[in-house]
Amino acid sequence: MIGNDIIDLQFALSESIVLQQRRLDKICTVAEQRYIRESENPWQTFWLIWTRKEACYKAFQRLHYIHSFCPHQIENQIDTSGMLLALILFRNKKFFARTTMNQVKIDTVCA
């Protein structure tokens, strides 16, 4: 199954609360939060991780219907050497994600 997510970076600029600790605690694992804080562009890194979580959730939902989005349970295996390719773990299943980024958008496809 395939899932995808796209973030319009111009629109996302208006989301000023994304890096507040309370929001990060609800969305990201401890490792993801560390990766965001240590990145060169924390705001963009948050949205990169977010698109992966959304795309993974959509792919998983095509296999097993679930009616609640629980981003904290979706874990990005952080590999700083390959930022645009990722292994994602969710409910004992492995998903692989490919992300493309430019000045306008972040787009992730997950299978």
Side-chain angles (χ1 to χ4, degrees), residues 7-24:
I7 294 294
D8 177 334
L9 291 175
Q10 296 305 312
F11 179 77
L13 277 171
S14 66
E15 291 287 323
S16 60
I17 66 168
V18 297
L19 296 179
Q20 291 179 354
Q21 190 60 48
R22 190 169 153 208
R23 179 140 181 193
L24 289 174

Side-chain angles (χ1 to χ4, degrees), residues 45-108:
T45 303
F46 169 83
W47 287 113
L48 170 74
I49 288 172
W50 175 263
T51 63
R52 289 177 178 170
K53 288 177 181 277
E54 280 277 346
C56 177
Y57 171 75
K58 291 172 184 176
F60 184 88
Q61 193 173 37
R62 286 173 174 80
L63 293 170
H64 310 282
Y65 180 74
I66 55 175
H67 35 274
S68 64
F69 179 52
C70 38
H72 192 270
Q73 294 177 9
I74 302 169
E75 181 181 354
N76 284 271
Q77 297 297 298
I78 303 299
D79 175 9
T80 57
S81 64
M83 192 170 145
L84 300 180
L85 298 173
L87 170 65
I88 303 171
L89 305 174
F90 182 48
R91 296 193 178 182
N92 297 319
K93 297 209 182 298
K94 291 181 182 179
F95 294 86
F96 297 94
R98 178 181 305 270
T99 302
T100 57
M101 294 190 316
N102 59 37
Q103 300 298 331
V104 176
K105 67 178 175 68
I106 299 175
D107 180 6
T108 297

